[in-house]
Amino acid sequence: MLRFNDILDRLASYNPNADMDLLRKAYVFSAKVHLRQTRLSGEPYLIHPLEVAGILTQLKLDVASLATGLLHDTVEDTLTTLEEISENFGKEIAQLVDGLTKISQISLRSSEEDQAENFRKMILAMVKDIRVILIKLADRLHNMRTLKYHTPEKQGEIAQETLDIYAPLANRLGIDWIKTELEDLAFQYLHPDIYEEIQRKIAKKEKERSRYIDEVKRTFMKKLYENHIEGEVTGRLKQIYSIYLKMKDQHIDFNQVYDITAFRVIVNTIKECYDVLGIIHSLWKPIPGKFKDYIGLSKENMYQSLHTAVIGPYGERIEIQIRTHEMHKIAEEGIAAHWKYKEGKAFNEADDKRFTWLRQLLEWQRDLKDDAEFIESVKVDLFPLEVYIFTPKGEVKEFPVGATPIDFAFSIHSDIGNHCVGAKVNGKIVPLKYEFRSGDTVEILTSPNQKPSKDWLKFVKTPRAKTKIRQWFKTEEREKSIALGKEILEKELRKYNLQQTKLIKAGELAKVAAEFSFQGVDDLIAAVGYGKLTVNQILGKILPQERLEQKEEQEEGRLKSLIQKITRSSPKDALLIKGIDNVMVRYAGCCNPVPGDKVVGFITRGRGVTIHTVDCQNVIDDDPNRKVEVEWDSTKEYSYPVRLRIYSEDKKGLLAEISSSISSNEANITNARVDTTDDKKAISIFELEIRDLNHLKKVIKGLERIKGIHRVERMRVETQAES
């Protein structure tokens, strides 16, 4: 059984200046709060945090990590609060304990490969400090070592989770010995019969294997000595899980697994690594395709070694790894080695978003002065652009940072997105604008009466959600336009004793649609509803010109008065509209465009073209198919309505000065309203007729010169949609 003094001795061996008093304080605190608690084995609970801290000393972690190892279960399993940890041990250790508590509270229920990878990414995304994961691995390793005290059902569940989530995490962090032990322990409980069979067959050949390993080691050492290379040679049998995978992947039994013996040669320099490789290949025949150079091109987790396989003594296959002492330290300790490791090879490979942070650690470490600074540098979001959330069934989904319930709803199905009214996150109702955090459990709420809102486009993050929302509005607009187009077309056709249904059956409208380059009759009718095509243009393709002219003469008198009325209210001749002739024009009340403003036309069902300023919020996100290019005709003059809001002092004579200034600048006042406030201020709204933007600027400048006026602004009523 590991004693606390053993932990102190180990810590002193690699960090003699460590704060031992802090560690003693953590030990006493843990012993106190876990008093009378026992594990399933019947042992005092304190044994578990001691063993976890002991594993962390094997990784040579700092005092804060070891203290957290002693305290990691206090918040979850006792009455201790996070505030107490912070008060007694500081913010840093409290944050580490909090990170471990959060990970322990999530349920990793899926064993499918893709889901397991999402769980691993979610764990990485949830923590701000890489030490949290290292402590969690130590915690899981000791739990696996004592798994026999659980029920068979629980053993299988924990073992599968370990194989799917934690062993790959250890591999990703480059900690080979933890990865290997976790795999073998998990395999032992998931497939006990196969495990025992392989173990028994290995044991049967143990003496024979030991003699073989000794013989190969002697040969190695002799050759190193002859070539003046100082090095270490070790030999071992492959791990049981590794042998099982080879049997499974190659569909062979144990006796057909020839390369179950592996050797490692550790030397001082990279040059000597390649020298040893040459010696080995001169001794024994290399197996084609089995050489890997992980020194020239390291793995994503910074692992470096030369790998080769040869036909060794007695025709037996053996695998050999060749590396330097520094490489061996990284291979064994992984990321934890960088708390002490100061030198190494720079990696210039293209960044991969899931491993960039690992690649950068070595480069950061070279430039940092002490361990504390290095630790601070890795307290970052490991996946800063992604969040991982749970579905109600326990599956994990990946979304960009800032994603909302609307994004989640559309990721499930378009109908769920279209009818989404809200969401429950971790059991609580949240607004649709709520931004997910990694680890959230999300349930979507729907209603058959709900429809998408254009406001959704302002906060959704995923391309799928944006596309589906726009698609919904486009479909809705099209359906409305077809309905309106049919109504308009039917009404006009009646004047010529024609029926829309008969024209469709006879194929006449299909011919017209083709002539106007539409794909079908619905597109033709929708164009009428949008206002892009007039009924007269369609009739021109169906009826003789003489009949159209005759009807036009009959309607001329009635239309003339109507056109005059439209022209008086909306001087369309002041605008040049690209690609459209003979259409009604009106000016949007939401932005009140005047000559000089940059404007855009927006085809409005049944009302012609409505003119907006280009920055008007009511058209920025609307269907681009309904926008038309327009520009002012500078050769003609008209009067345009504009509304000004004037903030001023509330004093006698000021209203007369305002009116006089407007008149002197040749603008006509059509309406005015004045409101006063309790603090002797006045807010006046004047409706004027002006010629163009320059005229408006002149009027505003004249008003701003009046003493007592604080501010003059042109009004835009953004909430009143005109499209």
Side-chain angles (χ1 to χ4, degrees), residues 160-187:
Q160 189 65 58
E161 184 180 275
T162 298
L163 200 58
D164 291 337
I165 310 298
Y166 292 105
L169 271 178
N171 181 56
R172 178 170 292 184
L173 297 175
I175 312 171
D176 185 66
W177 69 272
I178 289 184
K179 171 242 182 192
T180 300
E181 187 174 349
L182 286 176
E183 285 178 340
D184 275 355
L185 287 168
F187 179 56

Side-chain angles (χ1 to χ4, degrees), residues 401-407 420-423 425 429-437 453-461:
V401 166
T404 66
I406 296 294
D407 294 289
C420 177
V421 292
V425 174
I429 294 178
V430 298
L432 293 176
K433 289 184 179 180
Y434 173 85
E435 295 184 1
F436 293 142
R437 292 189 288 267
S453 165
K454 287 184 179 178
D455 286 339
W456 291 2
L457 291 168
K458 297 175 183 177
F459 57 80
V460 295
K461 294 294 181 182

Side-chain angles (χ1 to χ4, degrees), residues 24-40:
R24 290 188 183 94
K25 184 178 178 182
Y27 171 66
V28 171
F29 186 93
S30 182
K32 180 181 177 182
V33 297
H34 286 302
L35 187 65
R36 296 189 183 89
Q37 286 185 342
T38 58
R39 305 198 84 209
L40 291 176

Side-chain angles (χ1 to χ4, degrees), residues 556-611:
E556 188 176 355
R558 185 177 63 82
L559 290 174
K560 188 174 181 180
S561 61
L562 179 61
I563 291 169
Q564 287 174 345
K565 181 180 178 181
I566 292 170
T567 304
R568 284 195 299 272
S569 62
S570 300
K572 85 167 184 186
D573 292 339
L575 285 160
L576 303 174
I577 304 176
K578 191 172 182 179
I580 299 179
D581 297 319
N582 301 321
V583 66
M584 291 189 298
V585 174
R586 62 199 302 273
Y587 295 89
C590 52
C591 51
N592 293 314
V594 298
D597 284 331
K598 291 182 179 180
V599 289
V600 63
F602 197 87
I603 297 172
T604 312
R605 292 182 301 276
R607 293 186 291 173
V609 176
T610 301
I611 308 301

